[in-house]
Amino acid sequence: MAASSSSSLSLSLRPWPEDDAAARALPALIPRISQQRGHLRNITEESLAAEIQAEADGEIGRGVDGGADGGADGGDNGGDDGGDNGGDNGGDNERDEDAPSRANEVLAAREEIVRQIGQAHEEALRALDFISLLLSKETPRQAEISMSPYLKHHVPLGSLGADTVQPPAPSAAKAREAESVARGWKLQSLNSTADSILRSAVRLEREIELETRYWEQVLAISDKGWSVCQLPREKHVLGVRFGFSEATGPFKDRGLAALRRGEEGNIVLDQGVASAGPRSMRVRIEGEGGRLTGSSSVSPISADESSIEDLILQARNTIYEEELFHELGREARLLANQGVRLLGSTVALGFPAREIKIDLVAPDDESVVEASSGPDDAIANGVALALRLLLSYAHRQNLRRRSQIPPPLAERKRPTPPYALIRPLLTHFFHSSALRETRASLDSLVSSVQREGLTSSYEVRVAPGSLAGASRGGKSAAERVVEAFIDRAETSIEVVLPAGFTVDIRVRTQIHPPSFGTDFLVASRVADGAVPAPRTMGFSSDSEMRRYLQHIVAQASSAARIDPLARTHEPAI
């Protein structure tokens, strides 16, 4: 069998591998040249010429066969060319000595592979002979075809056979034991399956309870009027939209939060990375010397166990307050000439007798907790309420503007001007200050006239503003009230002087183009026609108006002295 297996052994013969073109490329040759001959600076034209001449004379072969002999010959000949070439090719001789060892390794590996292949072939042939001899009892002619000649010659056909042996019948004890083991395994499997089903049922019941609680809260949110929708980037997660559709870009995008289910089934309001905790706008009023005289109230923070509606409302108020303070900062940069300053994160409004500071604080801040009530708390709360109403009015105007036909497209994007939030406050505070000075001047003039025993008085009437005219634009009453607040502040004063003299004073204040400040329009008339026609004079300061009123009071006093009927009582002492 060994002879037959060795004679039938076949090996695959492959052609000698061709040289790789990449090995002959210049980037591959340069490292090989450096490895064989050293650095390129050592290769000179003379050494190359000497090497070519030595190769022509047949000395290179001797140098390659024995680098040591060439080096010795070069040393004996006093450093001639043969010795130099033998010394330079010492590295090549070492590599040439390694070449036979590598070839021997390859041959040894090849012989090992051939041996293992032969052994596997022998084992396969023996297995084939065994199966063929076993089958020769049943089908001798078919089994004889696959037998080796050696097996046919030495072993007769049908000498090896196989039969099925029935195992002995187990005893009654063994049968009972096997039945008990099988029943035990079956019971264990059934118990394990039952436990798994029970655990699944408990988990499913828990999930049903959590989902029921979650969806009940979602329905409660929807019933309260909040808009529940899918998140744009997470279609499988519900969200609630609590922001304002007419807010500016960054605050409009933050008005959507995810309604995620907590561990106990309660809704967790996830506002993302933009959530920095609740914040609220605070208005403080400081008097002379920086003494705090009033502070607005700040909404308290909702507790952790508060309902989800309270948390949504708190998130909405926070984003509204942040947008309001952002718009206040934008407008404050344009009102530096009106005494408005930005002090870090505080907007300061300067007035002659007080200063109003507006900032954004957390409800649990120490300065908020420790703040006490003051005489100007009502004014501070009024300022905070007015600012919030003005921002809502700006949102309403954005909606009205967006619902109209858009203007034509332009090459440059139209800038968005800041909302008018601080200017109406400045208008009314400046107007109140100017009216206070005017009343002080009138009190002085009227008292001086009354001390002379003459009749004199004045009456202050607040102008109705734009409430009457704004009703014809399809606007609501709230919009008309806010527009009247935004419009210029105007007050009329009627001064009655002796001898039929009457002076009408209109005090107007606005922080809008074309005028920035307060002006005074004074019109004087006489009932009996002593003055040919009423005259109207305009003044930009209270001092100029006071001098003009003093002139009219002097005329009225002179006329009253001429007409004794104008005197109503004796001069005051």
Side-chain angles (χ1 to χ4, degrees):
M1 292 179 61
S4 62
S5 63
S6 61
S7 61
S8 62
L9 179 63
S10 60
L11 297 176
S12 61
L13 300 178
R14 298 181 181 177
W16 190 264
E18 298 180 356
D19 294 339
D20 189 5
R24 298 193 301 269
L26 184 59
L29 290 175
I30 291 177
R32 293 171 57 188
I33 293 172
S34 300
Q35 186 178 6
Q36 293 177 3
R37 301 182 178 275
H39 201 276
L40 293 177
R41 69 166 66 94
N42 299 328
I43 302 174
T44 61
E45 186 175 357
E46 292 79 6
S47 63
L48 292 177
E51 185 177 347
I52 293 172
Q53 183 64 32
E55 185 178 358
D57 297 341
E59 297 178 358
I60 292 296
R62 295 192 298 271
V64 172
D65 294 339
D69 297 339
D73 294 341
D76 296 338
N77 295 332
D80 57 358
D81 295 338
D84 295 339
N85 292 332
D88 294 336
N89 294 333
D92 295 338
N93 296 336
E94 295 178 358
R95 283 188 294 273
D96 293 338
E97 291 176 357
D98 296 337
S101 61
R102 287 196 296 271
N104 295 333
E105 292 177 0
V106 172
L107 292 175
R110 176 180 176 277
E111 292 177 358
E112 179 66 21
I113 293 174
V114 171
R115 187 184 63 79
Q116 292 182 3
I117 292 175
Q119 184 178 356
H121 189 260
E122 283 286 340
E123 294 178 357
L125 290 177
R126 291 174 182 173
L128 180 60
D129 287 343
F130 175 77
I131 299 298
S132 300
L133 183 60
L134 182 62
L135 294 176
S136 63
K137 185 177 181 180
E138 305 295 334
T139 55
R141 294 198 176 273
Q142 294 179 2
E144 187 179 2
I145 297 174
S146 59
M147 283 185 182
S148 63
Y150 182 83
L151 183 62
K152 290 179 184 179
H153 182 71
H154 291 85
V155 180
L157 298 177
S159 60
L160 183 62
D163 195 3
T164 303
V165 179
Q166 293 294 337
S171 61
K174 291 289 185 180
R176 287 193 300 271
E177 182 181 358
E179 185 179 358
S180 300
V181 171
R183 187 182 297 111
W185 280 108
K186 185 178 294 186
L187 290 176
Q188 185 177 358
S189 300
L190 290 176
N191 291 334
S192 177
T193 303
D195 293 341
S196 177
I197 293 174
L198 289 176
R199 287 194 299 269
S200 300
V202 171
R203 185 172 63 252
L204 180 60
E205 184 180 1
R206 175 66 174 171
E207 285 295 324
I208 292 174
E209 181 183 355
L210 297 179
E211 286 292 325
T212 302
R213 188 179 305 168
Y214 172 79
W215 285 105
E216 286 178 352
Q217 295 184 8
V218 170
L219 291 178
I221 293 173
S222 180
D223 294 339
K224 290 294 182 66
W226 299 102
S227 176
V228 179
C229 59
Q230 289 181 337
L231 293 183
R233 298 183 180 179
E234 298 181 60
K235 299 297 184 182
H236 61 284
V237 179
L238 290 179
V240 58
R241 191 175 297 279
F242 56 84
F244 301 88
S245 58
E246 304 305 325
T248 53
F251 299 97
K252 181 179 180 180
D253 298 337
R254 290 173 51 191
L256 181 64
L259 298 177
R260 305 190 185 276
R261 198 190 75 179
E263 296 180 356
E264 299 298 329
N266 297 322
I267 291 180
V268 177
L269 191 65
D270 183 10
Q271 302 182 52
V273 297
S275 177
R279 305 177 74 185
S280 180
M281 184 189 67
R282 179 181 61 176
V283 178
R284 293 174 296 168
I285 299 178
E286 296 181 356
E288 296 180 356
R291 183 174 57 89
L292 183 65
T293 60
S295 177
S296 64
S297 59
V298 177
S299 301
I301 186 173
S302 299
D304 296 337
E305 60 273 7
S306 300
S307 63
I308 185 62
E309 293 86 357
D310 295 338
L311 297 178
I312 295 174
L313 185 61
Q314 178 178 272
R316 187 200 65 174
N317 294 340
T318 298
I319 195 174
Y320 187 83
E321 300 287 292
E322 290 179 353
E323 182 188 5
L324 175 58
F325 189 75
H326 173 74
E327 295 297 332
L328 289 176
R330 290 184 59 197
E331 188 183 12
R333 295 181 179 90
L334 305 177
L335 298 176
N337 58 343
Q338 300 296 330
V340 181
R341 297 172 297 161
L342 276 175
L343 305 176
S345 58
T346 304
V347 178
L349 283 63
F351 299 101
R354 62 167 63 97
E355 185 177 29
I356 299 177
K357 292 184 177 181
I358 306 171
D359 56 357
L360 201 63
V361 296
D364 55 353
D365 190 78
E366 295 182 359
S367 59
V368 177
V369 176
E370 298 176 357
S372 58
S373 59
D376 292 338
D377 286 349
I379 299 177
N381 288 321
V383 170
L385 178 61
L387 291 175
R388 296 184 177 102
L389 290 176
L390 289 173
L391 181 59
S392 298
Y393 176 77
H395 288 172
R396 180 68 62 86
Q397 295 305 309
N398 290 342
L399 176 61
R400 189 183 301 275
R401 193 181 305 111
R402 189 164 58 88
S403 59
Q404 296 176 354
I405 299 176
L409 296 177
E411 295 182 358
R412 296 183 178 179
K413 185 179 179 180
R414 292 179 174 86
T416 303
Y419 299 148
L421 304 176
I422 301 178
R423 280 169 284 184
L425 293 178
L426 295 178
T427 298
H428 287 273
F429 275 107
F430 287 154
H431 184 76
S432 177
S433 177
L435 190 60
R436 189 164 49 251
E437 294 178 358
T438 302
R439 293 178 66 122
S441 300
L442 292 177
D443 288 339
S444 176
L445 291 175
V446 169
S447 62
S448 64
V449 172
Q450 290 178 353
R451 281 196 297 268
E452 296 179 3
L454 301 177
T455 302
S456 179
S457 63
Y458 69 90
E459 181 182 2
V460 179
R461 295 188 299 271
V462 179
S466 58
L467 282 176
S471 61
R472 295 189 299 270
K475 300 179 181 180
S476 62
E479 287 182 292
R480 295 198 300 270
V481 170
V482 176
E483 287 179 355
F485 179 73
I486 293 176
D487 197 9
R488 67 183 181 186
E490 182 174 343
T491 303
S492 299
I493 304 176
E494 183 181 7
V495 183
V496 178
L497 296 176
F501 279 79
T502 304
V503 179
D504 295 327
I505 304 174
R506 294 172 59 191
V507 183
R508 303 182 305 179
T509 305
Q510 67 178 4
I511 312 297
H512 300 279
S515 62
F516 292 87
T518 304
D519 57 353
F520 304 87
L521 296 180
V522 181
S524 60
R525 65 182 186 275
V526 181
D528 56 0
V531 178
R535 296 175 296 176
T536 302
M537 301 290 292
F539 305 96
S540 60
S541 64
D542 178 73
S543 58
E544 296 177 356
M545 182 199 66
R546 186 167 56 251
R547 286 195 294 268
Y548 180 71
L549 288 178
Q550 289 174 354
H551 173 68
I552 295 178
V553 167
Q555 288 184 351
S557 299
S558 300
R561 292 188 185 94
I562 296 175
D563 185 7
L565 296 178
R567 187 182 299 271
T568 59
H569 59 273
E570 293 298 327
I573 300 175

